[in-house]
Amino acid sequence: MTAPSFTKAAGLHLLVIMSLFVLQFVLPAYHHLAITRIMVLAVFAMGYNLLFGYAGLLSLGHALFFAAGLYGAGLTAYHLGWSVPAAFVAGTGSGFLASLLIGLISLRTSGVAFMIVTMMFAQVSYLASLYFTTYTRGDEGLVMPQAARRFELFGANFDLTDPTVRYNIALALLTLTTVVIFAIVRGTTGRTLVAIRENEPRTLMLGYDTFRIKLKALVISGTLSAMAGSAYALLFAYVGSSFASIQYSIDALLFTLLGGAGTVLGPLLGTFAMFYMIDIASEYTAAYLLITGLALIALVLFFPKGIVGTIRERWVSWLP
């Protein structure tokens, strides 16, 4: 990426973050909460996109990493009484360990086999969350107590029942994720991941340790997904087995495809679009998934690489 292109791309990402910050002062209560939720889910989608969009690895097991963060944070806060920061670190750390261990096994496969192996791991985690109901309460889930929603950090007191606090924590996580993904994409690792996606045998022949690089991408991806899961549990005070189901892996894939795989801002835009598409359609009909499906078909026809991906291909080539 040339210097002018880097400046424009960095400026665009900064503008998006600043727009989200300003938006909180004018949003009605419903949309304030909705966009808080969207930003957390976008972190999940952006983590997924690093693996799928840049490394070309189609995983159906990312719900496992989201759930690792969700339960790692939720169970330690609920059963052990850990503070919010400690629970968040526990959840994110759980995702890091899970992605490292699963990566060492699943990356010995490729293509459809990789997809199936990751899906199997995710299904095991989902069944485990249903089996250990003494601690997880299965589908019923756990509701975080009020004591687990207040904490002190750097001498300041925070209350996660405050919508403004929730919004700005979600925005801070989104900002951190955007910076991390942007730095990776424009660096050597990002270019190597794209090379692996396009032609792994040639990349291997050039002397790159493709297994190590893919493992690095999966660990970063899984850790970011777990960070989103931890934030979801603590910000919205609920932990349930449904978040570990394969549907959440598919959701991350849809958010990424809709916005544009292999783009930094694509998953964020895709999460926004999917959330509000379903939200608006459900106001008019119970068959909202049919309308959403038709909209996705139209998108594939007119924006085959997703919204941001097609814009980059046709008009704005400097988008990362």
Side-chain angles (χ1 to χ4, degrees):
M1 185 182 291
T2 63
S5 296
F6 169 77
T7 302
K8 288 188 286 188
L12 173 63
H13 289 76
L14 179 61
L15 177 62
V16 170
I17 296 300
M18 291 304 297
S19 297
L20 287 170
F21 176 77
V22 172
L23 203 57
Q24 66 179 305
F25 300 110
V26 297
L27 286 172
Y30 173 78
H31 295 289
H32 194 281
L33 177 61
I35 291 181
T36 303
R37 196 180 303 272
I38 286 169
M39 287 191 291
V40 173
L41 293 176
V43 171
F44 178 34
M46 292 171 82
Y48 182 87
N49 181 49
L50 180 66
L51 190 68
F52 172 64
Y54 290 96
L57 294 170
L58 175 56
S59 165
L60 287 182
H62 260 56
L64 185 157
F65 306 130
F66 186 87
L70 189 86
Y71 280 106
L75 295 181
T76 52
Y78 187 89
H79 292 294
L80 303 179
W82 286 19
S83 66
V84 170
F88 179 79
V89 171
T92 305
S94 298
F96 170 82
L97 291 175
S99 56
L100 178 61
L101 293 174
I102 290 170
L104 288 171
I105 299 171
S106 62
L107 287 173
R108 298 181 183 279
T109 64
S110 60
V112 175
F114 176 81
M115 179 183 69
I116 293 173
V117 169
T118 54
M119 181 178 67
M120 290 172 62
F121 274 117
Q123 193 66 9
V124 168
S125 72
Y126 172 60
L127 294 175
S129 71
L130 292 175
Y131 181 78
F132 294 102
T133 53
T134 303
Y135 305 102
T136 66
R137 293 188 185 171
D139 283 329
E140 178 187 351
L142 301 170
V143 177
M144 295 293 105
Q146 290 295 319
R149 307 201 68 200
R150 297 185 177 90
F151 66 100
E152 182 179 330
L153 188 65
F154 303 123
N157 293 312
F158 297 92
D159 185 353
L160 296 182
T161 61
D162 183 342
T164 301
V165 173
R166 285 202 306 262
Y167 188 100
N168 284 288
I169 289 176
L171 179 59
L173 293 176
L174 178 66
T175 302
L176 174 63
T177 303
T178 302
V179 170
V180 169
I181 297 294
F182 186 76
I184 291 173
V185 167
R186 68 175 298 270
T188 303
T189 300
R191 290 191 289 270
T192 308
L193 286 174
V194 172
I196 292 172
R197 181 190 70 194
E198 297 300 320
N199 195 326
E200 184 173 356
R202 180 176 293 179
T203 307
L204 188 63
M205 185 182 66
L206 290 172
Y208 289 96
D209 185 346
T210 57
F211 181 86
R212 181 183 61 80
I213 295 168
K214 289 191 294 185
L215 179 62
K216 179 180 178 181
L218 195 153
V219 170
I220 295 172
S221 175
T223 303
L224 290 174
S225 299
M227 187 172 74
S230 300
Y232 200 98
L234 297 169
L235 293 181
F236 303 110
Y238 176 74
V239 175
S241 294
S242 59
F243 294 106
S245 68
I246 191 174
Q247 179 61 46
Y248 258 73
S249 295
I250 295 173
D251 283 347
L253 174 61
L254 288 177
F255 296 157
T256 301
L257 290 174
L258 181 59
T263 64
V264 178
L265 291 177
L268 173 60
L269 183 58
T271 308
F272 261 97
M274 181 67 77
F275 185 93
Y276 275 107
M277 193 186 305
I278 292 174
D279 188 62
I280 294 170
S282 62
E283 291 183 3
Y284 297 97
T285 175
Y288 60 89
L289 289 179
L290 174 62
I291 294 176
T292 304
L294 293 174
L296 290 174
I297 291 172
L299 180 81
V300 170
L301 293 175
F302 297 103
F303 291 85
K305 293 190 175 181
I307 300 170
V308 179
T310 303
I311 290 173
R312 179 175 64 185
E313 182 181 53
R314 296 178 181 175
W315 302 294
V316 189
S317 60
W318 50 263
L319 284 174

